Amino acid sequence: MSPVLEVERLEVSFGDVHAVRGLSYTVRPGEVLGIVGESGSGKSVAAAAVMGLLPPGARASGSVRLHGRQLLGAPERELRAVRGRTVSMVFQDPLSALTPVYRVGDQIAEAVRVHQKVSREQALAKAVDLLDLVGIPDPRGRALAFPHEFSGGMRQRVVIAMAIANDPDVIICDEPTTALDVTVQAQVLEVLKTAQRATGAAIVMITHDLGVVAGFADRVLVMYAGRPVEVGDVDDVYYRTRMPYTVGLLGSVPRVDAGGRRALVPIDGHPPAPAARPPGCPFAPRCPMRIEACEDREPPLFEVGAGHQAACIRWDEVRPWAAGDGAVRPWAAGDGAVRPWAAGDGAVRPWAHDDGAVRPSAGGGGGDGPGWPVVRGARRVLEVDGLVKHYPVRKGAIFKRRVGTVHAVAGVSFDIREGETLGLVGESGSGKTTALTQILELAEPQEGRVVVLGRDTARLTREQRAAIRRDMQVVFQDPLAALDPRMTIYDILAEPLRTHPRAPLRAHGGRAPGARVAELLDLVGLDPSHAARYPQDFSGGQRQRIGIARALALEPRLLVLDEPVSALDVSIRAGVINLLDSLRTRLGLSYLFVAHDLAVVRYLADRVAVMYLGRIAEIGRVEAVYGTPAHPYTQALLSAIPLPDPVRERARERTLLDGDLPDPADPPSGCRFRTRCPKFAGVLTGAERSLCVDTEPEIRTLGEDQGAACHYAEKLAVV
Amino acid sequence: MTLSEEELAEERTGPGPARAAPPSRLRVVTGRFFASRQGRLGFAVLAVLVALACAGPLFSPWAYTDKDFLAFLRPPSAAHWFGTSQTGADVYAMTLRGMRRSLLVGLLAALVSTALAALVGAFAGYFLGWTDRVLSRLTDLLLVLPAFLILAIMSPLFGAGQWPLFVLMLALFLWMVTSKITRGMTISLKQREFVQAARYMGVPPMKIIFSHVLPNLSSLLIVDATLNVSAAILTETSLSYFGFGIQPPDVSLGTLIADGSRTAVYAPWTFWFAAGLLVITVLAVNLVGDALRDAFDPTARRSR
Ligand code: SF4
Ligand code: SF4
């Protein structure tokens, strides 16, 4: 079959900055090509160049041929005829792709009528058909709705419906699921597959998520510093990796499956800025296999197998992650440098014993039940009991009437013992952030009790509150937003020390802030001589390290981590996760770790609490909850997470959830999950269902340290 | 970066020798201010002007109150460096005296009004609630009062030696608009995570306002202060022109320009020295303001 889209030696530059350098690929009809890269790798710019949507000021050269017709440099009129008809695009942000003031049905019909000579009525009928195809319930009625009346996932479905309206031959998807929750991502990927089947189109899937590509793509192209560095079939790239960067990426992704506790191996450093690329192999400064020849010139793409190319001069020595023993794995041996995490600390993790708590090692993992007695520490650093937070919903511009109440947190209970890490996970709207804020505010909750470090927040004196503020510290999600842009790193790190001048620092009492600041920077792996710089002089991962250093300045006992790695690139994320892990062990910290990413939580947490619509659905030891989740929601959540493992990913059975999160102002009666519960919909009999409808399930204990809020909870391995 | 490095750090007998000068914001900003040419130039000019205003009269045989009845309206000469006025007063002595007043009035009024704007706006925006209601009412009230009229009515009070009161009154009518802007920006800053971070760290609210909110508004405040210097000097000038403001026998650049403008055509020295110094002063203040703003703003291009 001849390819539909051929890109050859595509170059895009903005002034002197070369964003894309020599990108070539072809896509055949019905094929899915995944383009993987971190931010700044040039993957999105390349897609824009193919569509002829580059911003003014960008120069593109090379060739982009669609069915043999040259697109690059073609007149705008010709491009417009192609765009939306033969090639269409799905963007990350569906809201910006839809016009807010038109009904979605009209917008899709419009897209049809631009390229096809059909009547208005026919176009509208087609629009309704398309909405039905992408799984929008009640398509006839919803076609009359406006974009803002849809949820994020539904909007992305509408965009996909629009993208396939004219039976395109190529659909370019630029991070189509990045902004979505994982269960919604699973739905949207499913819709994309349906859409592809219906149209037979080729798909170019641009993403940073190796899991999404593993299950979805036929071939993969890995981009680094504006160039393709490895191209091949999914299986070749994942299992017969020939480029150290790809190996590094695969090794640094936290995984939710049983291998989840293996040590993550971060890639040192960060991607080079487009203006300051090294002369030779762009990956050389970070590559553990670098030799002198690497720096001579940029390695071309070597043919390393059938349809498999890699840009590395030592490709025949590179071994993939999963390769058998004896192989040279770049991160394990390589250049002889000591790389502590790759050594074999994966199975046995040293725990802090100094607090007297007995902590089991987390080796083994797996689903067949823990083989050790679970003993939790005696002292509680945080206790949340029946926490409730609701907000009034008001309507009206002048006279704000109270029209309802949003129960953001509706009775949540958990505790954290000394030295323990609790992961609080949930999708957007689950109430995890509200719960977190309630704890951090140290104010009396509307209902329930919050006890921090042995003190009830409802009855705090000034001194006690100050003492808690000293012993409980926070790391925020977005490191740039959480660091005052007008302060030097020195001032940022000295601030907590100045705020609590008499803090009894266990190891460092009575020293000048200067010494402590240098020590903190050292501790998080930054150069102490950079203290005079400002936050924006650092890269994302480094900034997050500064955020962590600030939180550690006073040697707290409890660290609250609010999505600490979700704003970071994959290769940098692993380093921060490892840092958090080692700090906990070394400093005897307890973590409350709030995240939406279950894979990261699996790596860091001892226990996990899964939230849904303001309540905890399941709570327990990580091994138990991940190995044999009992609540239908946890099961669906875990099964929705893509694994960076093509064979397993293809073989997996997904439990897809229907629809969207219900309105938190009007939650369903009885079990809050029942509107979307696959068990409720498929397995239960009518009599059993009435229990779900009438009675809100409380958390029931199911074996050692695992509990689920479901009347019919049953353990089931899903990953 | 890695555990080995951390352990290495532990093995050292503590962190390296504490550096003598910790790189705190004050030091960095000062360094960056003097690293820019604008900053150096503006600062030097201002320093010269201040020195001139303070020490200049010492070198002249004439005091600003003296009258030379042998020389009316004479051009600059060896005896009278800047010439004399219609009444025989020495223009050099008067100009320097006037500049001293104007500098004091302008700089002080600008500082006071900007400080007032920053404080009232930041407190109203940070604490909201009743603090905000009281402060906002006050701001609105002052905004509707006819400033010029009130200053004119109060002018008898600004007699000899009462210039500080004048400065205060001047400042009182300059701060309201900036304060409203500051309030709005504070409200949005308060939502930013770094302010939340400081709150959760236990930093007291006052300290948050001074170390996080105000520095992040520094661009606005510095620009405002520079504009206010000009505004204060010019307001004083126009008040003096109508005979309010600085009262004789005291002089200011404003009164001098007012007087000199009448004879400017045929005796330019009575006007141009005062006017020129006013322009130079305002320019220098603007240079310093620009450099200071860039020094505070870490994103500004570093001009070395
Ligand atoms: S060419 Fe050299 S530096 Fe580049 S990836 Fe291969 S071994 Fe590493
Ligand atoms: S209680 Fe019923 S509806 Fe709720 S999760 Fe269990 S089975 Fe599903």
Side-chain angles (χ1 to χ4, degrees):
Chain A
M1 250 187 300
S2 64
V4 266
L5 181 68
E6 293 166 90
V7 175
E8 249 178 82
R9 292 190 308 280
L10 180 69
E11 310 257 342
V12 183
S13 55
F14 299 89
D16 311 333
V17 177
H18 295 271
V20 180
R21 304 171 302 139
L23 176 67
S24 305
Y25 61 81
T26 55
V27 202
R28 275 179 281 278
E31 190 182 47
V32 180
L33 172 73
I35 298 186
V36 184
E38 297 180 87
S39 49
S41 61
K43 56 189 194 304
S44 295
V45 178
V50 170
M51 291 291 281
L53 293 174
L54 282 175
R59 269 179 299 110
S61 62
S63 121
V64 175
R65 282 200 304 276
L66 184 71
H67 289 303
R69 204 161 95 219
Q70 182 61 250
L71 289 189
L72 213 61
E76 180 64 25
R77 215 169 44 90
E78 212 170 295
L79 282 178
R80 230 172 314 157
V82 167
R83 241 181 262 145
R85 169 150 193 102
T86 331
V87 192
S88 57
M89 199 151 177
V90 178
F91 294 96
Q92 175 176 352
D93 176 13
L95 198 53
S96 63
L98 297 168
T99 318
V101 293
Y102 292 118
R103 301 176 193 281
V104 300
D106 292 341
Q107 292 194 46
I108 300 174
E110 186 60 33
V112 174
R113 274 159 59 86
V114 168
H115 295 290
Q116 295 174 34
K117 282 202 173 44
V118 289
S119 72
R120 226 183 121 67
E121 285 67 38
Q122 280 171 311
L124 268 176
K126 169 115 195 205
V128 172
D129 286 348
L130 286 167
L131 287 177
D132 193 28
L133 180 73
V134 295
I136 297 217
D138 180 24
R140 202 165 293 281
R142 295 303 277 164
L144 299 177
F146 291 97
H148 68 263
E149 296 171 82
F150 288 81
S151 69
M154 288 295 163
R155 259 181 234 141
Q156 197 59 294
R157 286 169 193 249
V158 173
V159 173
I160 293 173
M162 237 158 110
I164 59 173
N166 293 303
D167 271 334
D169 297 332
V170 183
I171 307 174
I172 297 180
C173 306
D174 190 359
E175 304 264 11
T177 57
T178 306
L180 304 175
D181 277 323
V182 41
T183 55
V184 181
Q185 161 173 303
Q187 294 171 353
V188 169
L189 287 177
E190 209 50 49
V191 169
L192 265 177
K193 277 182 200 159
T194 318
Q196 191 204 15
R197 246 176 275 130
T199 58
I203 293 188
V204 178
M205 172 73 126
I206 297 159
T207 176
H208 68 277
D209 189 331
L210 288 155
V212 168
V213 171
F216 196 72
D218 304 312
R219 285 195 311 127
V220 184
L221 185 151
V222 182
M223 277 186 86
Y224 186 76
R227 287 184 75 224
V229 293
E230 183 155 9
V231 195
D233 284 347
V234 168
D235 290 10
D236 282 339
V237 172
Y238 279 72
Y239 299 129
R240 290 172 283 279
T241 323
R242 284 288 182 259
M243 166 72 197
Y245 173 62
T246 321
V247 179
L249 268 190
L250 287 167
S252 57
V253 196
R255 290 169 59 156
V256 79
D257 53 350
R261 279 287 198 180
R262 86 194 184 317
L264 296 179
V265 181
I267 308 178
D268 287 342
H270 41 90
R277 289 200 181 107
C281 172
F283 189 56
R286 308 172 72 187
C287 180
M289 293 178 67
R290 172 193 55 236
I291 50 173
E292 240 154 69
C294 300
E295 276 151 40
D296 291 348
R297 62 194 175 85
E298 203 154 352
L301 277 172
F302 293 99
E303 203 67 40
V304 300
H308 184 186
Q309 296 157 314
C312 172
I313 54 174
R314 298 184 66 190
W315 61 267
D316 54 341
E317 295 162 65
V318 180
R319 289 294 172 272
W321 261 106
D325 309 22
V328 184
R329 231 173 270 157
W331 260 264
D335 49 4
V338 185
R339 279 164 205 287
W341 278 298
D345 137 54
V348 188
R349 289 161 44 129
W351 300 101
H353 284 289
D354 51 358
D355 55 357
V358 183
R359 302 186 41 146
S361 118
D368 41 14
W372 57 84
V374 178
V375 182
R376 298 182 58 196
R379 273 157 64 194
R380 295 177 180 192
V381 287
L382 177 68
E383 208 180 328
V384 176
D385 192 13
L387 180 68
V388 170
K389 171 75 186 176
H390 44 76
Y391 302 99
V393 187
R394 295 182 204 276
K395 266 222 175 98
I398 304 167
F399 301 106
K400 296 215 182 302
R401 286 173 302 122
R402 187 180 176 128
V403 293
T405 310
V406 172
H407 297 272
V409 177
V412 161
S413 309
F414 58 83
D415 66 349
I416 301 179
R417 308 289 171 92
E418 186 132 46
E420 201 173 61
T421 297
L422 176 78
L424 194 60
V425 293
E427 299 181 277
S428 41
S430 65
K432 60 183 192 305
T433 311
T434 312
L436 180 82
T437 320
Q438 287 296 297
I439 296 166
L440 288 173
E441 284 294 334
L442 294 185
E444 184 174 359
Q446 281 165 336
E447 266 173 59
R449 222 157 55 96
V450 177
V451 182
V452 185
L453 299 164
R455 303 217 183 266
D456 193 326
T457 54
R459 294 189 299 272
L460 281 180
T461 64
R462 245 182 118 88
E463 291 75 46
Q464 288 170 339
R465 182 167 286 125
I468 293 179
R469 292 262 183 245
R470 191 179 67 219
D471 284 340
M472 175 174 75
Q473 296 286 331
V474 202
V475 176
F476 290 89
Q477 170 174 14
D478 179 355
L480 190 56
L483 302 176
D484 189 335
R486 296 286 169 116
M487 275 193 170
T488 61
I489 300 309
Y490 176 85
D491 275 342
I492 287 173
L493 295 181
E495 185 174 31
L497 302 170
R498 290 182 186 137
T499 306
H500 301 279
R502 281 182 298 283
L505 291 184
R506 272 167 262 159
H508 325 272
R511 272 201 254 151
R516 178 71 178 145
V517 167
E519 194 174 80
L520 284 167
L521 284 171
D522 227 359
L523 184 69
V524 296
L526 292 174
D527 187 345
S529 65
H530 290 172
R533 299 192 182 177
Y534 286 96
Q536 92 260 351
D537 300 333
F538 292 87
S539 70
Q542 288 173 323
R543 276 182 217 136
Q544 193 56 293
R545 284 166 192 269
I546 295 166
I548 295 170
R550 172 174 65 181
L552 292 176
L554 295 166
E555 303 190 335
R557 291 163 61 196
L558 174 62
L559 211 55
V560 177
L561 306 159
D562 184 9
E563 304 262 11
V565 295
S566 61
L568 305 177
D569 258 328
V570 188
S571 72
I572 290 158
R573 195 178 285 186
V576 175
I577 295 176
N578 282 338
L579 174 71
L580 285 171
D581 197 25
S582 82
L583 287 174
R584 172 182 59 177
T585 318
R586 296 180 35 188
L587 305 178
L589 298 170
S590 312
Y591 288 167
L592 172 61
F593 186 102
V594 177
H596 70 275
D597 185 340
L598 281 104
V600 173
V601 170
R602 167 152 213 178
Y603 186 74
L604 267 176
D606 303 314
R607 301 181 77 235
V608 60
V610 181
M611 283 188 74
Y612 181 80
L613 211 59
R615 286 181 71 93
I616 289 183
E618 184 158 3
I619 185 167
R621 281 212 80 74
V622 160
E623 294 80 21
V625 173
Y626 282 67
T628 50
H631 195 283
Y633 176 62
T634 322
Q635 290 163 359
L637 203 57
L638 284 170
S639 90
I641 298 173
L643 297 173
D645 189 339
V647 170
R648 293 189 59 184
E649 186 62 20
R650 269 177 244 138
R652 264 171 97 194
E653 286 277 342
R654 283 246 145 78
T655 327
L656 283 184
L657 291 184
D658 293 329
D660 288 322
L661 202 69
D663 182 2
D666 182 24
S669 70
C671 175
R672 289 171 167 243
F673 186 52
R674 82 179 149 84
T675 47
R676 302 171 74 195
C677 177
K679 197 168 216 161
F680 181 83
V683 183
L684 300 184
T685 64
E688 285 170 325
R689 277 183 200 170
S690 63
L691 184 61
C692 300
V693 177
D694 297 335
T695 324
E696 180 144 24
E698 289 302 321
I699 292 188
R700 274 191 307 135
T701 314
L702 306 151
E704 217 163 359
D705 200 4
Q706 179 178 11
C710 168
H711 298 300
Y712 304 101
E714 246 180 306
K715 294 187 184 183
L716 182 75
V718 291
V719 278
Chain B
M1 178 69 58
T2 62
L3 199 61
S4 61
E5 279 172 35
E6 285 162 24
E7 276 161 2
L8 242 171
E10 266 201 333
E11 276 163 26
R12 282 184 220 149
T13 46
R19 269 149 308 163
S24 75
R25 173 160 59 201
L26 194 64
R27 300 182 64 90
V28 173
V29 168
T30 325
R32 290 183 56 165
F33 174 79
F34 284 109
S36 82
R37 198 178 309 142
Q38 279 188 353
R40 281 197 304 262
L41 184 69
F43 187 81
V45 171
L46 261 193
V48 166
L49 287 177
V50 170
L52 202 65
C54 294
L58 300 180
F59 302 112
S60 166
W62 305 92
Y64 72 97
T65 40
D66 292 349
K67 304 265 179 325
D68 184 352
F69 297 107
L70 300 173
F72 294 110
L73 217 55
R74 285 291 159 79
S77 65
H80 298 283
W81 297 339
F82 285 5
T84 57
S85 73
Q86 243 171 340
T87 53
D90 182 62
V91 176
Y92 174 76
M94 284 210 302
T95 308
L96 292 194
R97 171 67 186 189
M99 192 166 72
R100 189 161 155 188
R101 268 293 153 268
S102 288
L103 272 178
L104 265 176
V105 169
L107 292 178
L108 274 183
L111 280 183
V112 170
S113 86
T114 302
L116 209 61
L119 290 182
V120 171
F123 275 80
Y126 190 83
F127 291 107
L128 294 174
W130 64 265
T131 320
D132 179 38
R133 277 199 290 280
V134 171
L135 291 176
S136 292
R137 279 298 121 69
L138 192 75
T139 317
D140 292 339
L141 186 77
L142 278 170
L143 211 49
V144 295
L145 285 182
F148 201 87
L149 204 65
I150 291 183
L151 284 173
I153 293 169
M154 289 184 70
S155 70
L157 294 177
F158 307 144
Q162 290 304 312
W163 62 268
L165 182 67
F166 178 65
V167 166
L168 218 63
M169 292 308 295
L170 212 54
L172 209 56
F173 288 104
L174 278 174
W175 60 276
M176 289 82 70
V177 176
T178 318
S179 157
K180 287 196 161 290
I181 302 173
T182 310
R183 174 179 171 272
M185 290 172 80
T186 306
I187 291 177
S188 69
L189 266 180
K190 200 186 166 189
Q191 310 300 325
R192 296 275 295 274
E193 273 183 2
F194 62 85
V195 174
Q196 298 293 338
R199 273 187 54 216
Y200 292 150
M201 207 185 289
V203 182
M206 292 289 212
K207 207 146 177 270
I208 293 186
I209 289 181
F210 283 106
S211 64
H212 293 287
V213 175
L214 292 182
N216 276 285
L217 300 175
S218 59
S219 302
L220 167 82
L221 295 177
I222 289 169
V223 170
D224 177 64
T226 6
L227 291 178
N228 275 348
V229 173
S230 326
I233 293 180
L234 293 179
T235 313
E236 182 265 324
T237 309
S238 45
L239 276 171
S240 303
Y241 190 85
F242 290 106
F244 316 122
I246 299 286
Q247 300 298 326
D250 212 345
V251 289
S252 72
L253 286 186
T255 54
L256 286 178
I257 291 171
D259 289 346
S261 64
R262 273 170 241 148
T263 50
V265 181
Y266 50 90
W269 59 90
T270 52
F271 175 77
W272 287 111
F273 285 114
L277 280 175
L278 178 66
V279 169
I280 293 176
T281 310
V282 172
L283 275 180
V285 167
N286 278 321
L287 279 180
V288 169
D290 278 358
L292 211 54
R293 188 196 56 209
D294 287 351
F296 262 106
D297 186 355
T299 52
R301 204 187 76 255
R302 279 165 216 205
S303 43
R304 297 240 146 143

mmCIF file of all heavy atoms in Angstrom, chain B residues 25 88 220 222:
data_model
loop_
_atom_site.group_PDB
_atom_site.id
_atom_site.type_symbol
_atom_site.label_atom_id
_atom_site.label_comp_id
_atom_site.label_asym_id
_atom_site.label_seq_id
_atom_site.Cartn_x
_atom_site.Cartn_y
_atom_site.Cartn_z
ATOM 1 N N ARG B 25 18.059 38.915 48.747
ATOM 2 C CA ARG B 25 17.496 39.741 47.693
ATOM 3 C C ARG B 25 18.086 41.146 47.694
ATOM 4 O O ARG B 25 18.410 41.701 46.661
ATOM 5 C CB ARG B 25 15.982 39.817 47.868
ATOM 6 C CG ARG B 25 15.362 40.798 46.908
ATOM 7 C CD ARG B 25 13.915 40.537 46.728
ATOM 8 N NE ARG B 25 13.189 40.618 47.973
ATOM 9 C CZ ARG B 25 12.017 40.055 48.170
ATOM 10 N NH1 ARG B 25 11.486 39.349 47.213
ATOM 11 N NH2 ARG B 25 11.401 40.171 49.312
ATOM 12 N N GLY B 88 16.940 91.916 42.465
ATOM 13 C CA GLY B 88 18.339 91.948 42.846
ATOM 14 C C GLY B 88 18.783 90.738 43.627
ATOM 15 O O GLY B 88 19.892 90.698 44.145
ATOM 16 N N LEU B 220 5.245 48.073 39.376
ATOM 17 C CA LEU B 220 4.176 49.071 39.406
ATOM 18 C C LEU B 220 4.523 50.206 40.368
ATOM 19 O O LEU B 220 4.415 51.383 40.034
ATOM 20 C CB LEU B 220 2.877 48.389 39.856
ATOM 21 C CG LEU B 220 1.758 49.346 40.230
ATOM 22 C CD1 LEU B 220 1.048 49.809 38.983
ATOM 23 C CD2 LEU B 220 0.780 48.700 41.195
ATOM 24 N N ILE B 222 7.371 51.203 41.630
ATOM 25 C CA ILE B 222 8.520 52.049 41.292
ATOM 26 C C ILE B 222 8.153 53.009 40.166
ATOM 27 O O ILE B 222 8.460 54.207 40.234
ATOM 28 C CB ILE B 222 9.723 51.178 40.907
ATOM 29 C CG1 ILE B 222 10.255 50.483 42.164
ATOM 30 C CG2 ILE B 222 10.824 52.024 40.302
ATOM 31 C CD1 ILE B 222 11.259 49.421 41.882
#
